[in-house]
Amino acid sequence: EAEPAVCSPCRRAQLRLCLERLKGLVPLGAAAGRHTTLSLLTRARLHIQKLEDQERRALHQIEQLQREQRHLQRQLEKLGVERVRIDSIGSSLSSERSDSDQGESPPRGAAAGRPG
């Protein structure tokens, strides 16, 4: 089945409408008023390439930041494990110290020779 034929003036009107929409989307700079269809399409192509380059750079930066985030997360987890280890060593040392301190030193009143 063949497509219904679109009249030539209708196609031209649709093409003009599409070109006007494209003008609104593509930065044209100082020559915004004076453009040919070719110059508009060329600027559109360059603008699309620029946007694609920006997207590639943004994706690369996202990947780089994700790698850095994973690295920092591993470091944070490592520091958390070390801190737990240090805290547990510190608390066991302080509990040993307090046990030995209580066994070795006499009560304050007894040290001065005063009756309790």
Side-chain angles (χ1 to χ4, degrees):
E1 228 177 272
E3 293 270 327
V6 178
C7 67
S8 184
C10 297
R11 275 185 295 177
R12 282 194 296 267
Q14 186 176 7
L15 181 59
R16 273 195 308 273
L17 178 63
C18 290
L19 289 172
E20 286 301 315
R21 286 182 184 166
L22 188 59
K23 265 200 285 187
L25 297 172
V26 176
L28 297 174
R34 300 173 48 215
H35 69 78
T36 64
T37 300
L38 177 60
S39 67
L40 176 61
L41 293 174
T42 301
R43 286 184 175 270
R45 181 180 55 82
L46 293 172
H47 184 62
I48 290 168
Q49 287 175 340
K50 178 182 168 185
L51 292 174
E52 288 172 343
D53 288 344
Q54 287 176 347
E55 183 181 25
R56 271 193 298 277
R57 284 194 301 272
L59 290 173
H60 177 71
Q61 187 174 16
I62 287 171
E63 290 170 1
Q64 193 173 4
L65 290 170
Q66 286 174 337
R67 282 193 300 272
E68 185 178 349
Q69 182 183 23
R70 286 191 300 270
H71 173 71
L72 291 171
Q73 188 66 38
R74 285 191 304 270
Q75 282 187 325
L76 184 61
E77 289 168 1
K78 184 179 174 184
L79 288 173
V81 168
E82 288 177 5
R83 182 176 177 180
V84 167
R85 192 177 309 135
I86 290 170
D87 287 348
S88 65
I89 291 170
S91 65
S92 65
L93 286 176
S94 65
S95 65
E96 288 173 13
R97 199 175 301 128
S98 63
D99 291 346
S100 63
D101 289 346
Q102 288 178 1
E104 292 177 9
S105 62
R108 287 185 177 200
R114 294 183 217 130

